[in-house]
Amino acid sequence: MFYKEKHINFITSLLDAQGHVTNVLAEHLKMNGLYWALSALDLLDALPQDEQRDFIREFVFSCFNDDGGFGGAKNHDSHILTTCSAVQISAILGFIHELDKDKIVEFIASLQKEDGSFTGDRYGEVDTRFSLCATLVLSLFDSITKINVDKAASFIKECRNWDGAFGQVPGSESHGGQIFCCVGSLIHLNRMDVIEKDKLIWWLCERQTESGGLCGRPEKDPDVCYSWWNLSAIAALNATEAISTEALIRFILKSQDDEKGGIADSPDNVADVYHTNFGIAGLSLMHFPDIHQQINPEFALTERALRTVPYLSHRKSPT
Ligand code: GRG
């Protein structure tokens, strides 16, 4: 049983009148938290309306900085993670055309380093998560050529390990979260040739545990969020039939709070907005019948939201 109405109530009860997610307590995660909440509500056909929508739009604009990036909250420094969430939120709520596209593109391009990698901000940390954020935002603005595409792809290739999977930086351990980032980046860069498809599909399938849930790396516990991080890569590689979707669906449904709504990281744990979103997104990837919106694996946005992005009007959405 999928508790759709309870999940809607759970998430909407976390959004206060100003559109802030009240159980995301860390100030710097406000923008990311809002993306998780709105993405889940979009998938459940229950986006906020009217005043609350206006407050959210105002919040997003209040986090825009002169350098062309967005902070995680008002007066916070720009970061590529929060810029990505801000742009995704504006796509979900239909105001992406109001953003200062040129400045945002310039900010993202300024974060590319000589080796093709991306830093998260002006302080210099490098991570394949940032490559995904950069390529996702540039793709949404139809501006991927504003960066060095070849170098961006060759950096991702450097992060590919002997097992066909990907890590955070060259030489670091393969991890489901980074695979999502690297596969997504390569799709945006149109460089799927970098993927050793059979090896990577094998690695990802090996992450399904006896419980049916997926884990992020060998010998680790399953967690609902990998129903998004791993499964989106599996879906992008057209290999969903290579895992047991029935068992994975059972694991996600078992992780629901059947009283208050929401989904936890695993059965019997406490539900939160992050796992609720990625659990529902995973169910959407598996075409779970109670979820009517289709999620796109490389944009982490619904096909409905993508259809409203004017810069993508030439794009054919899947039928
Ligand atoms: C566009 C949706 C979207 C995201 C932007 C932030 C980001 C890009 C991607 C995050 C990818 C990632 C690294 C996900 C994994 C997060 C996670 C559960 C990390 C936990 O790592 P450990 O070591 O847990 O605590 P494990 O499961 O390995 O034991």
Side-chain angles (χ1 to χ4, degrees), residues 35 81 84 88 129 132-133 136 175 177-178 180-181 216-217 220-221 223 225-226 228-229 274 278 299-300:
Y35 159 70
L81 287 172
C84 181
Q88 285 177 302
R129 284 178 304 158
L132 188 264
C133 292
L136 188 161
H175 191 284
Q178 311 304 140
F180 157 76
C181 295
R217 47 197 167 125
K220 300 290 285 198
D221 289 333
D223 180 318
C225 69
Y226 297 110
W228 170 256
W229 306 123
Y274 166 89
F278 289 119
F299 284 105

Side-chain angles (χ1 to χ4, degrees), residues 300-311:
L301 288 169
T302 60
E303 290 294 337
R304 181 211 62 76
L306 289 172
R307 279 195 293 275
T308 69
V309 176
Y311 316 107

Side-chain angles (χ1 to χ4, degrees), residues 243-317:
I243 61 155
S244 168
T245 51
E246 293 79 12
L248 179 54
I249 289 172
R250 270 200 303 278
F251 178 79
I252 300 172
L253 295 184
K254 265 199 199 162
S255 306
Q256 297 178 106
D257 181 327
D258 56 9
E259 264 176 51
K260 299 191 203 111
I263 302 177
D265 61 350
S266 54
D268 301 324
N269 276 351
V270 179
D272 62 80
V273 64
Y274 166 89
H275 290 94
T276 303
N277 174 47
F278 289 119
I280 294 172
L283 290 173
S284 169
L285 284 174
M286 293 184 279
H287 305 291
F288 187 73
D290 293 359
I291 295 165
H292 307 298
Q293 296 297 333
Q294 201 186 332
I295 190 101
N296 175 287
E298 64 268 13
F299 284 105
L301 288 169
T302 60
E303 290 294 337
R304 181 211 62 76
L306 289 172
R307 279 195 293 275
T308 69
V309 176
Y311 316 107
L312 295 178
S313 54
H314 57 282
R315 174 180 176 270
K316 285 200 195 84
S317 54

Side-chain angles (χ1 to χ4, degrees), residues 177-246:
Q178 311 304 140
I179 295 172
F180 157 76
C181 295
C182 292
V183 169
S185 302
L186 292 168
I187 295 174
H188 293 304
L189 295 164
N190 199 16
R191 287 296 310 274
M192 292 286 275
D193 59 292
V194 171
I195 296 173
E196 296 178 298
K197 200 173 165 191
D198 292 346
K199 263 192 188 176
L200 181 56
I201 292 172
W202 169 83
W203 192 97
L204 287 163
C205 291
E206 287 292 306
R207 301 289 75 77
Q208 187 157 33
T209 64
E210 259 175 47
S211 65
L214 309 182
C215 61
R217 47 197 167 125
E219 307 304 327
K220 300 290 285 198
D221 289 333
D223 180 318
V224 161
C225 69
Y226 297 110
S227 316
W228 170 256
W229 306 123
N230 296 12
L231 190 63
S232 62
I234 297 176
L237 297 170
N238 292 318
T240 313
E241 77 289 348
I243 61 155
S244 168
T245 51
E246 293 79 12

Side-chain angles (χ1 to χ4, degrees), residues 83-111:
T83 300
C84 181
S85 287
V87 175
Q88 285 177 302
I89 291 168
S90 68
I92 294 172
L93 293 185
F95 61 86
I96 192 169
H97 60 284
E98 294 178 51
L99 302 183
D100 192 335
K101 172 185 157 183
D102 293 344
K103 274 192 96 165
I104 298 170
V105 168
E106 203 181 305
F107 169 72
I108 300 278
S110 76
L111 297 174

Side-chain angles (χ1 to χ4, degrees), residues 13 60 126 146 166 191-192 250 273 310 319:
S13 73
V60 171
V126 165
K146 300 286 182 193
F166 296 88
R191 287 296 310 274
M192 292 286 275
R250 270 200 303 278
V273 64
T319 48

